[in-house]
Amino acid sequence: MSLEPEMEPEEIEPEEEQAHEPENYHNVLILGDPTDPMVLQWRDYCEAVDIPTTLYVDADDAPKPSHTPYTVLLNTHVDIPFFHMHHLPDSLAEALDEECLILNNCLAETPTSSAAEMEDDYCLVGFSAIGLYTGTPVLEIARGLQTDPRYIQKAHHFLGHLGLRAIEVPETPSLVLGRVLALLVNEAASALMEGVASPQDIDTAMQLGTNYPRGPLTWADYVGLDVILSILNHLEDEYGEDRYCAMPLLRQKVDAGKLGRKAGEGFYSYHPEHTRRG
């Protein structure tokens, strides 16, 4: 038994928390499709906590802000290659804060690959918002090989300020939820294509049998069939395995512009004159 007096634990100042106050995120540029409900949801998250937000389709269209530089650049595009920082218009490049956090959708491109085209490659953090389609405020983030750990902390803090919970996962193609969901959708599309069951019956069986919040085909319509196809193509390119090969029906739907809820039709119809369940 030791007779030495117990040492009081040393208090450690939370330096990282002090370094990233909410007011640091005072101007956000969102790159994305303004017809996509999830892109509009990102804008709503920011505006709900009084963060000024600018939404543009791509970097070439985005203007230089009149006063405050952009402190966060959020690229929501999946099927459009990541904008190259050294190709940004001069007016926009000059409008980014020196400590600007780059959040890049990495469902179809790894953070390391995205950052490889950037001059300031340390400030990019990859993310996947697939979890938001379940109605829960959870998303995945991942660092590339070049990412400065400070920017992971900035991403946690910024997303937390929006009321979202960020879970860091290892950098793997399409991360966790994107990979698993795309495979579920692909198998469901295979069952539909082979006449195993109707879309409604496939989704009902999966909802009741696995307690999923939505069936895989309904889920695909919410996320976008083009997004699911991009994930599968990315996985097939990275791993070279047949199990990631997209079903012909899925490719046909995308080719026909039937991308899901945002297009008015996917595996289901969302036009007012049609009714559906799932």
Side-chain angles (χ1 to χ4, degrees), residues 31-44:
L31 301 181
D33 180 358
T35 66
D36 186 339
M38 184 52 67
V39 174
L40 300 179
Q41 183 65 60
W42 277 111
R43 185 183 63 185
D44 292 344

Side-chain angles (χ1 to χ4, degrees), residues 104-141:
N104 185 58
N105 194 317
C106 62
L107 286 174
E109 186 176 37
T110 64
T112 294
S113 176
S114 299
E117 301 293 339
M118 296 172 53
E119 182 177 350
D120 298 328
D121 56 5
Y122 55 85
C123 62
L124 183 140
V125 175
F127 78 92
S128 162
I130 291 292
L132 299 181
Y133 289 95
T134 67
T136 57
V138 176
L139 71 164
E140 300 167 293
I141 62 173

